[in-house]
Amino acid sequence: MHSDFVTLGNKVVPHRSLFKSMGYTDEELAKPLIGIANAHSEVVPGHIHLDDISEAVKKGVLAAGGTPIEFPSIGVCDGISMGHIGMKYSLPSRELIADSVESMVLAHAFDAVVLIPNCDKIVPGMLMAAARLNIPAIVISGGPMLAGRVEGRAVSLSQTFEAVGAHAVGKISDETLREYEDQACPTCGSCAGMFTANSMNCITEALGMALPGNGTTPAVFAERLRLAKESGKRIMHLYNENIRPRDIMTRNAFLNALTLDMALGCSTNSMLHLPAIAYEADVDLPLTLANEISAKTPNLCRLAPAGPHHIEDLYNAGGVPAVLKELSTLGILHPDETTVAGKLGDSIKSASNKNPEVIRPASNPFSPVGGIMVLTGNLAEQGSVVKRSAVANEMMKTSGRARVFESEEECAEAIYAQKVKPGDVVVIRYEGPKGGPGMREMLNPTAALMGMGLGKEVSLITDGRFSGASRGACIGHVSPEAAIGGLIALVEEGDKIDIDINGGTVHLDVPDDVISARRAKWQPPAPKAGKKGYLARYEKLVTGADKGAVLV
């Protein structure tokens, strides 16, 4: 046991004395020490209840013969940090989470670890740590929020952002705007659509690192606590059998994860997080692989923001196992992959699709191709990403005049001032991993465009990224980014930009000699983060979005 370093023999009397100062007994110290990484906080709706999840996990660990020892993790709420400097810290917090879990586990010689995340960057951060540490590990999330109701229809957080735009142009009243504020987020849990948190929690099932139900069982259901207890028990099985994350997170497991991603129409942020997790697992997962998987994977679900259904509807329809069962009929999964529940194929045998309106049968998909598309072209030589399943048909192939903004704030101000017009292609640059620094999400401008009724007439391109709650022709992760001289830095107001989402291209229609002349004049910007603090270090070390924005 790793814990022998701190519990066994006379040389560690000082170590045991410190454990005993906290009330641990000899019997407890003789058992495997199971770290419980709990991201509970009083600032994230998806995490406010994680102490209850942790207590249930501990009961499962104790029942199966281990000694649970809890430690904390930070977590940023993407919604609360949206649209101001706080969003610069969201993606970078992923690396802090991975580093802190690594630090706590190795510093205290835990034998295995249960990871309790829920929201956007905490799930991938903890999975990155699991792959890096490679000791037995399991994920149990806090579960999704229930949908709210406004004016008789189911809503979630994304509609609150769109409501701000609708209110700004007089489409809804003050009273209706307040109703969105009070009713859209009715319970604890990760926001109710197929946004980044729920995307990653669902993907974690296909990746093999969580028990079935992790992605969709609502936060407020007693079943979530039962799942937490089972996860606590299951970590002891993984420990006793020495089943480790890299035994689970193989290349084929990542292909299963990408396949589910395409079928569900997950957040484009998965295209940052899966490569980052794969990097820690020593698995090569190039961004272009997404298009290969997408080409043979039907899109079976249109969950908010792409459609009217929410995660609770997916849960009632059979959850992730039912989606995987549909995909298995096409022979595009790797069913023999090991998961924390056993072989993937065995874990979905009893699953069934209980609502073909929520989970389309594989024979009758929403689309024959997947929900995410990677675009390349001269404007994104190393790739860019769009949530194809959330784009209106009218915007799949379009051309328009560039409206260029040097920051999200500058763009949002122009949108609310109604200076962005039909036919425009909005370009927001210097918001990439280095240029931001921190690669902010752009939900404010995308939601404003939707709320103002411009979602079928305006495209948006950025080297930043989008919230899973964004919808429309929103192309993010443009690589190389502006801060390192990517072509997006050379776009000028009025340039023609051609977008072909199904064709996989985004192109700046400007002659090569003009581009060369602009490049000769371009100067790299001064670093925004200054010389001190975490963002200054992040800016120096972070890779491009096409590499998962990992630190090297």
Side-chain angles (χ1 to χ4, degrees):
M1 294 195 301
H2 290 94
S3 58
D4 289 351
F5 290 116
V6 295
T7 62
L8 188 64
N10 290 336
K11 289 191 294 186
V12 296
V13 164
H15 306 65
R16 288 198 300 271
S17 71
L18 290 168
F19 276 111
K20 288 184 175 180
S21 76
M22 294 181 280
Y24 290 97
T25 65
D26 288 332
E27 181 183 17
E28 288 174 307
L29 296 177
K31 297 176 180 179
L33 302 186
I34 310 301
I36 312 292
N38 182 5
H40 167 263
S41 77
E42 296 182 347
V43 71
V44 186
H47 291 211
I48 190 74
H49 64 304
L50 292 190
D51 276 358
D52 292 336
I53 301 295
S54 181
E55 288 304 311
V57 168
K58 291 176 190 176
K59 289 176 181 177
V61 171
L62 288 167
T67 297
I69 301 178
E70 183 179 323
F71 62 88
S73 168
I74 67 163
V76 169
C77 177
D78 276 24
I80 295 173
S81 65
M82 192 72 66
H84 60 94
I85 191 173
M87 182 47 71
K88 290 179 180 284
Y89 286 88
S90 173
L91 182 59
S93 74
R94 186 188 70 183
E95 318 308 307
L96 285 177
I97 291 158
D99 289 350
S100 65
V101 172
E102 174 197 354
S103 299
M104 292 297 290
V105 167
L106 294 182
H108 302 103
F110 293 126
D111 296 301
V113 63
V114 180
L115 305 164
I116 309 177
N118 207 24
C119 290
D120 295 15
K121 308 308 171 291
I122 301 90
V123 182
M126 287 189 172
L127 283 167
M128 290 166 68
R132 188 186 302 172
L133 290 163
N134 203 33
I135 64 170
I138 192 170
V139 173
I140 170 64
S141 76
M145 183 184 291
L146 297 179
R149 298 199 75 82
V150 173
E151 297 184 326
R153 65 188 181 99
V155 300
S156 61
L157 180 71
S158 62
Q159 280 98 341
T160 67
F161 282 90
E162 292 181 13
V164 173
H167 181 264
V169 294
K171 286 188 171 185
I172 63 173
S173 66
D174 293 347
E175 291 75 19
T176 300
L177 185 63
R178 180 58 184 260
E179 189 177 359
Y180 276 102
E181 178 180 330
D182 291 343
Q183 303 298 329
C185 298
T187 73
C188 63
S190 47
C191 296
M194 188 52 77
F195 312 146
T196 304
N198 293 323
S199 294
M200 293 308 301
N201 281 321
C202 288
I203 285 171
T204 301
E205 289 189 42
L207 189 60
M209 288 298 294
L211 292 176
N214 177 72
T216 62
T217 305
V220 294
F221 282 17
E223 185 181 343
R224 174 61 57 176
L225 296 177
R226 297 197 297 271
L227 188 65
K229 290 177 184 177
E230 289 299 321
S231 298
K233 291 165 63 177
R234 197 66 186 173
I235 192 63
M236 296 308 301
H237 168 79
L238 298 172
Y239 169 75
N240 290 328
E241 298 297 321
N242 195 29
I243 299 171
R244 303 182 180 217
R246 293 192 194 183
D247 300 325
I248 295 171
M249 289 192 279
T250 64
R251 188 173 191 275
N252 282 345
F254 279 98
L255 297 183
N256 286 338
L258 275 171
T259 301
L260 178 72
D261 190 341
M262 298 302 166
L264 288 177
C266 288
S267 164
T268 53
N269 282 310
S270 64
M271 295 295 100
L272 282 172
H273 300 323
L274 282 172
I277 299 162
Y279 171 80
E280 297 291 353
D282 290 331
V283 172
D284 183 33
L285 197 72
L287 190 62
T288 51
L289 187 60
N291 284 356
E292 295 179 31
I293 298 294
S294 183
K296 59 184 180 182
T297 305
N299 179 222
L300 304 182
C301 300
R302 289 282 170 94
L303 299 158
H309 301 124
H310 293 83
I311 302 300
E312 65 196 72
D313 300 311
L314 179 59
Y315 164 79
N316 288 323
V320 170
V323 178
L324 293 173
K325 186 73 171 288
E326 290 285 356
L327 294 172
S328 70
T329 65
L330 302 175
I332 57 176
L333 290 177
H334 298 273
D336 293 330
E337 289 302 298
T338 297
T339 77
V340 295
K343 297 298 182 183
L344 180 70
D346 292 338
S347 70
I348 64 173
K349 275 183 180 178
S350 61
S352 63
N353 184 351
K354 300 173 184 176
N355 188 340
E357 292 184 9
V358 176
I359 305 172
R360 286 279 187 92
S363 59
N364 182 34
F366 283 102
S367 166
V369 293
I372 290 177
M373 188 71 180
V374 173
L375 311 183
T376 54
N378 70 344
L379 197 51
E381 291 181 346
Q382 294 169 2
S384 61
V385 181
V386 64
K387 188 170 184 174
R388 174 167 49 185
S389 60
V391 178
N393 288 333
E394 298 93 319
M395 300 302 291
M396 287 292 184
K397 187 171 184 179
T398 185
S399 298
R401 57 188 177 274
R403 294 294 317 281
V404 182
F405 302 96
E406 310 299 324
S407 70
E408 178 188 4
E409 289 89 348
E410 184 182 333
C411 175
E413 183 179 345
I415 292 172
Y416 283 116
Q418 301 183 48
K419 294 179 180 179
V420 172
K421 304 296 183 183
D424 286 347
V425 178
V426 172
V427 177
I428 307 176
R429 62 192 180 194
Y430 297 106
E431 290 285 8
K434 286 185 180 293
M439 200 179 182
R440 289 192 288 181
E441 290 184 345
M442 305 289 171
L443 181 55
N444 270 348
T446 63
L449 289 172
M450 281 293 174
M452 292 177 172
L454 294 171
K456 296 181 179 181
E457 299 173 296
V458 173
S459 303
L460 198 154
I461 297 173
T462 181
D463 54 7
R465 59 193 179 92
F466 296 109
S467 166
S470 290
R471 60 190 177 109
C474 304
I475 300 165
H477 307 197
V478 169
S479 302
E481 62 175 292
I484 62 171
L487 187 60
I488 191 172
L490 307 181
V491 180
E492 292 188 359
E493 195 83 5
D495 284 349
K496 184 185 177 204
I497 295 176
D498 301 316
I499 300 167
D500 184 352
I501 291 175
N502 285 326
T505 60
V506 55
H507 183 80
L508 178 65
D509 191 7
V510 171
D512 289 344
D513 60 332
V514 174
I515 291 174
S516 296
R518 292 179 186 178
R519 188 170 296 283
K521 297 177 182 177
W522 181 79
Q523 295 292 326
K528 294 181 184 177
K531 296 181 179 179
K532 295 180 180 179
Y534 178 50
L535 289 183
R537 297 194 299 276
Y538 183 86
E539 187 174 21
K540 292 176 183 176
L541 299 173
V542 70
T543 65
D546 59 303
K547 303 295 185 185
V550 296
L551 301 186
V552 296

